[in-house]
Amino acid sequence: MLERNDEDIYFMRIALKEADIAFREGEVPVGAVLVRGGEVLKSAHNLRESSKDPSAHAEILVLRAGAEKSDSWRVSGTTLYVTKEPCVMCAGAIVNSRISRLVYGCRDPKAGGVDSLYSILNDERLNHQVEVTSGVLEEECSSILKKFFRARR
């Protein structure tokens, strides 16, 4: 059994592979992995450009698949790994899906809904709070985003 830190790194590397796929497809390179009991339920990457769907963030895609596998909109007992701090939309979906834990790589100072701009996942006015771990493989997660946006300028 992997220790929590080793497990976080292991699954974040899977999310980074998804981010790399997004990068190669011309999508903003964000990857996500939904895990329950050490098993990957789904991994995905951003598909907004190719799907022309504003909600096709990596987090939303894995939550939808997790709900389908769980046969319920609740995906309690899961951990969501994502390379970049979720936005407000994704943070709301995380709360509403009853995720137990979020692990993310780098902060998003322009749109972060977890720590940077808002603290949606730990807002006690809401009916569910989520345990958050940040900064896992932060440099790698940040680097792919910087590389992507540098190439676009």
Side-chain angles (χ1 to χ4, degrees), residues 13-131:
R13 289 204 187 286
I14 296 171
L16 275 164
K17 287 179 185 174
E18 288 287 343
D20 187 57
I21 294 168
F23 181 90
R24 288 185 272 124
E25 292 176 353
E27 300 278 355
V28 174
V30 175
V33 180
L34 187 63
V35 175
R36 179 182 283 133
E39 175 189 341
V40 173
L41 297 178
K42 179 68 177 174
S43 63
H45 55 275
N46 277 1
L47 291 174
R48 287 191 326 167
E49 300 300 326
S50 62
S51 68
K52 297 173 182 43
D53 177 355
S55 70
H57 289 202
E59 300 96 307
I60 299 296
L61 298 173
V62 298
L63 289 176
R64 287 177 181 156
E68 191 171 312
K69 280 191 173 186
S70 298
D71 197 28
S72 171
W73 58 268
R74 290 178 191 88
V75 288
S76 307
T78 60
T79 298
L80 175 63
Y81 293 86
V82 62
T83 56
K84 181 174 68 71
E85 178 184 2
C87 69
V88 172
M89 173 184 70
C90 293
I94 290 165
V95 168
N96 281 305
S97 64
R98 308 300 194 267
I99 294 272
S100 298
R101 183 168 176 250
L102 168 73
V103 178
Y104 73 86
C106 63
R107 292 174 73 112
D108 184 353
K110 294 184 179 180
V114 177
D115 290 316
S116 295
L117 298 179
Y118 301 96
S119 296
I120 294 169
L121 301 188
N122 292 303
D123 189 325
E124 293 182 1
R125 295 171 295 179
L126 299 174
N127 63 343
H128 179 72
Q129 286 78 47
V130 179
E131 179 186 342

